[in-house]
Amino acid sequence: MAGPGIHHFHQPWAQLPPPPPSISTPPSIAVPARPTNDEVRTIFIAGLPADVKERELHNLLRWLPGFEASQINSKGDLPMGFALFSTAQHAMAAKTAYMAPPVLYAPYGGYPVTQVALPTPAPVPPPTVYAPVQNTKDNPPCNTLFVGNLGESVIEEELRGLFSLQPGYKQMKILRHERNTVCFIEFDDVASATSVHINLQGAVLPSAGRTGIRIQYPFVNFIDTYTHTYIQIIFGEVLGQKIEQWSQQALLRISLTG
DNA sequence: AGCACA
């Protein structure tokens, strides 16, 4: 359901002249039809993906207090977003909300959980048999390993017993499928994962048959994905004039329009 | 080759 203000402000906004295509000429959008006392209640958002949808911008902003409406101007080469708030304070607060320092993605650690003492898996003697493994297509190193070629008969306790003893081990997840089983193992850091990647490559687990396990880095490295997802904020009294800048990579640039 | 947790 749409916010209460979106319908109310749709008409006046639609009547505005189309905002100019360039950042150098600010649109006169902060002149809503309802009486104001020259407050700046509008936030200007640049750096949006070229295919951004109105709905996506709305979903991004709708939770912010005082949010009334948003719209996208796709006339220029890059889309620009505008968001209207009920007061200047709300607009300011919205800007501040996106100023929050980046939350570095912490796998499995994003929210508080009650620690449950799991039974420590029985330690498994280090594998003595190794089989050659072709690992032609691997992915960039990260702190998590993907393990395949485990066979159908692999015993989870054996997997846990082996990997949980490795230095830097954090946790692992085993995915059992119809015909094969894979698992992910998270370590404290890339170095720990890398040494396991090297040392246990091709290890033959007693329960896994005669072929060695294949250790790879996963397709998707969420740590990289999230730590490199910055939101850049630029404030400007005049649109496009940088006054304060934060972060290195831009997903969004949010300015106050005047 | 089989690739999750948010």
Side-chain angles (χ1 to χ4, degrees):
Chain A
M1 42 180 174
I6 187 77
H7 298 300
H8 180 251
F9 283 95
H10 181 72
Q11 278 301 95
W13 280 41
Q15 290 165 2
L16 289 170
S22 161
I23 195 171
S24 56
T25 45
S28 54
I29 198 162
V31 194
R34 103 178 181 191
T36 84
N37 41 353
D38 282 350
E39 287 183 331
V40 174
R41 303 186 290 125
T42 306
I43 278 182
F44 167 80
I45 304 161
L48 295 165
D51 59 347
V52 67
K53 302 289 184 295
E54 296 265 7
R55 169 142 214 95
E56 293 173 321
L57 182 63
H58 186 265
N59 286 341
L60 178 73
L61 300 166
R62 58 182 299 167
W63 62 276
L64 292 168
F67 171 75
E68 291 195 344
S70 66
Q71 65 178 209
I72 291 176
N73 168 24
S74 318
K75 297 279 165 39
D77 32 338
L78 283 178
M80 298 178 189
F82 302 90
L84 179 65
F85 291 82
S86 54
T87 69
Q89 287 71 30
H90 282 120
M92 194 70 72
K95 176 194 68 180
T96 305
Y98 282 104
M99 264 279 284
V103 177
L104 299 190
Y105 177 65
Y108 315 103
Y111 47 89
V113 292
T114 306
Q115 287 295 325
V116 178
L118 293 174
T120 307
V124 164
T128 53
V129 185
Y130 288 78
V133 170
Q134 74 278 30
N135 188 18
T136 47
K137 290 189 125 180
D138 207 341
N139 302 290
C142 69
N143 74 330
T144 304
L145 297 177
F146 170 86
V147 183
N149 205 30
L150 286 169
E152 304 172 55
S153 57
V154 68
I155 299 169
E156 296 192 7
E157 296 322 304
E158 194 178 346
L159 271 180
R160 291 193 185 280
L162 173 62
F163 286 111
S164 63
L165 287 184
Q166 305 306 313
Y169 167 87
K170 221 173 195 176
Q171 58 183 310
M172 66 186 291
K173 183 164 198 109
I174 300 175
L175 307 177
R176 273 201 178 279
H177 295 127
E178 280 295 316
R179 281 203 62 78
N180 68 341
T181 295
V182 298
C183 85
F184 292 88
I185 307 146
E186 184 197 345
F187 295 86
D188 288 330
D189 45 51
V190 180
S192 303
T194 301
S195 78
V196 171
H197 187 290
I198 295 169
N199 294 330
L200 294 184
Q201 186 67 275
V204 175
L205 306 185
S207 70
R210 61 247 96 227
T211 64
I213 61 176
R214 168 170 31 255
I215 303 182
Q216 295 172 293
Y217 299 106
F219 291 152
V220 179
N221 175 352
F222 276 93
I223 296 202
D224 274 357
T225 303
Y226 279 77
T227 51
H228 293 143
T229 300
Y230 298 109
I231 293 179
Q232 184 185 53
I233 306 200
I234 297 172
F235 299 96
E237 288 176 357
V238 179
L239 213 59
Q241 176 186 349
K242 300 178 185 178
I243 292 180
E244 182 181 340
Q245 185 172 336
W246 174 83
S247 181
Q248 286 97 40
Q249 295 182 15
L251 263 195
L252 295 173
R253 290 188 298 263
I254 302 184
S255 307
L256 281 185
T257 60

